[in-house]
Amino acid sequence: MSVNRLRETKPTVAVFGAAGHTGRFVVLELLRRGIVPIAIARDLAALTTANFGDFEVSRHRASVDDPDSLDRALDGAHAVINCAGPFLETADAVAAAAVRAGIHYLDVTAEQPSVRATLDKYDIPARKAGIAVLPGMGFYGGFADLLVTAALGDWDCADTIEIMVGLDSWHPTRGTRITGERNTARRMVIADGQLTPAPLPAAEKDWEFGDPVGRQAVVEVPLSEVILVARHVKTREFHTYLSSNALSDIDDPATPAPKAADATGRSTQRFVVDAVVSRDGKSRRITARGRDIYAFTAPLVCEATARLLEGKFSNAGGQPPGAIFDAQEVLSALGPDTLTFEITAAAGPDF
């Protein structure tokens, strides 16, 4: 559908996994933006009882094992956002249905193998269909890719890139736990300019995040941002670290799921993410702060979706967000209630 034609109609976006924790946030964010959601889930009972506030939302049952059910559920949609993990089990089927329907596909996976497989398999079909396929468009993945791209600015490459993710706590959802249990593949980093398995044992160091996380020990935990950045940024080294207190939370089976602390359903969790890019002895650092990594994913992926629907992207195909959007513009559009960020520079590699 052309952009001009789309502007004459109310955009409609399907959400696969709408009954899940992140999926509900995404449905509500679409409604807030005036976009019509189609709520899709594998479990009809969970979908029926899902709370979308006072809004009437179209609900459909569909399964990745039944392509016809996916095709019926996506009928009338202009894009689909896949929020149902583990994505190694859902991304292929939902992306294939999106290509068949000729609509944009996005997901929010942190799983490196899923992002890599989706980009590899659907790049050419998506280009032919004139649509974008954006896997990993969540807090872990697309967010870091946008931060790196914004920090690079006018640099076309970097010597080193580091991502530091600081959480004051991490109360994982059931979906996060299931994905972690099933995602046993060796994690990848960029070393000597090539994607390569992350060294074991994982690297550790200390990092000062500032308020509200403070100084934390961090451990190397590369996620889907590595695959995304590698697609469009040339760098010799790229490593991602996560604060050890958050890892302790998620490693403890007694840590409860997130608990809503306000009317929007957000928890009290706070995050700080630093992206540091260095080249020729100079460094740039972007620091981003926000609340609730699951809730934050909703405005992030919905902002990307809105830009795709409005034609505000540079290329079709399997893409990282930093390759087709103005990264700083996307981050700024999220607004101060969702995200604050600042970019600083220094003469040396350390801050």
Side-chain angles (χ1 to χ4, degrees):
M1 176 177 289
S2 70
V3 174
N4 288 337
R5 176 59 180 159
L6 182 59
R7 287 171 179 163
E8 297 171 5
T9 64
K10 204 163 187 179
T12 301
V13 173
V15 181
F16 187 74
H21 186 79
T22 301
R24 290 194 294 271
F25 279 120
V26 170
V27 169
L28 292 172
E29 177 66 17
L30 290 172
L31 288 164
R32 187 188 71 80
R33 290 169 175 261
I35 297 173
V36 178
I38 301 173
I40 307 170
R42 295 165 287 191
D43 185 342
L44 186 58
L47 187 61
T48 301
T49 59
N51 181 13
F52 301 130
D54 297 328
F55 298 96
E56 289 292 331
V57 175
S58 176
R59 306 172 195 230
H60 298 273
R61 181 190 176 280
S63 167
V64 295
D65 299 321
D66 183 355
D68 288 342
S69 72
L70 285 172
D71 292 344
R72 290 192 296 271
L74 296 184
D75 185 38
H78 303 112
V80 58
I81 302 172
N82 181 8
C83 298
F87 292 86
L88 281 169
E89 299 176 5
T90 67
D92 183 60
V94 181
V99 171
R100 289 195 300 272
I103 63 176
H104 302 297
Y105 170 86
L106 307 92
D107 69 38
V108 296
T109 183
E111 302 162 50
Q112 288 187 340
S114 179
V115 167
R116 196 171 187 178
T118 301
L119 290 173
D120 287 345
K121 182 172 181 178
Y122 292 103
D123 180 37
I124 293 176
R127 289 177 188 271
K128 290 180 178 179
I131 60 172
V133 168
L134 271 70
M137 195 60 234
F139 176 82
Y140 292 113
F143 181 38
D145 181 69
L146 290 169
L147 291 174
V148 168
T149 306
L152 285 170
D154 59 349
W155 290 357
D156 60 0
C157 64
D159 294 330
T160 63
I161 300 172
E162 289 189 321
I163 302 290
M164 313 292 180
V165 180
L167 309 179
D168 65 356
S169 64
W170 190 356
H171 289 225
T173 63
R174 178 174 176 271
T176 295
R177 290 200 179 280
I178 292 173
T179 298
E181 292 169 0
R182 297 183 186 176
N183 186 15
T184 58
R186 183 79 173 270
R187 299 180 189 276
M188 306 294 286
V189 298
I190 298 176
D192 295 324
Q194 302 293 325
L195 276 172
T196 187
L200 295 174
E204 299 183 34
K205 59 182 178 179
D206 288 338
W207 189 258
E208 176 56 61
F209 289 98
D211 292 337
V213 177
R215 190 168 188 84
Q216 297 284 345
V218 295
V219 180
E220 185 162 24
V221 184
L223 296 166
S224 55
E225 71 286 332
V226 175
I227 307 302
L228 295 173
V229 170
R231 292 278 166 154
H232 70 113
V233 176
K234 185 177 180 180
T235 183
R236 191 180 71 248
E237 300 285 333
F238 182 24
H239 302 274
T240 301
Y241 298 83
L242 180 61
S243 58
S244 60
N245 64 315
L247 290 172
S248 296
D249 283 345
I250 200 170
D251 287 343
D252 184 353
T255 302
K259 181 179 179 181
D262 64 20
T264 70
R266 292 187 302 175
S267 72
T268 59
Q269 180 197 54
R270 299 284 178 172
F271 65 79
V272 180
V273 181
D274 285 319
V276 180
V277 300
S278 301
R279 190 179 82 164
D280 299 331
K282 297 181 179 180
S283 294
R284 294 172 178 173
R285 172 175 172 175
I286 183 169
T287 300
R289 291 180 168 83
R291 176 178 168 186
D292 191 333
I293 61 175
Y294 298 108
F296 171 77
T297 287
L300 178 65
V301 72
C302 289
E303 179 64 28
T305 303
R307 288 171 183 272
L308 293 179
L309 297 178
E310 294 166 5
K312 295 179 179 179
F313 64 103
S314 60
N315 293 298
Q319 301 285 357
I324 61 171
F325 298 134
D326 181 316
Q328 193 162 336
E329 189 177 271
V330 173
L331 296 170
S332 297
L334 297 177
D337 291 338
T338 300
L339 181 75
T340 61
F341 69 94
E342 59 181 347
I343 301 175
T344 55
D350 297 318
F351 285 76

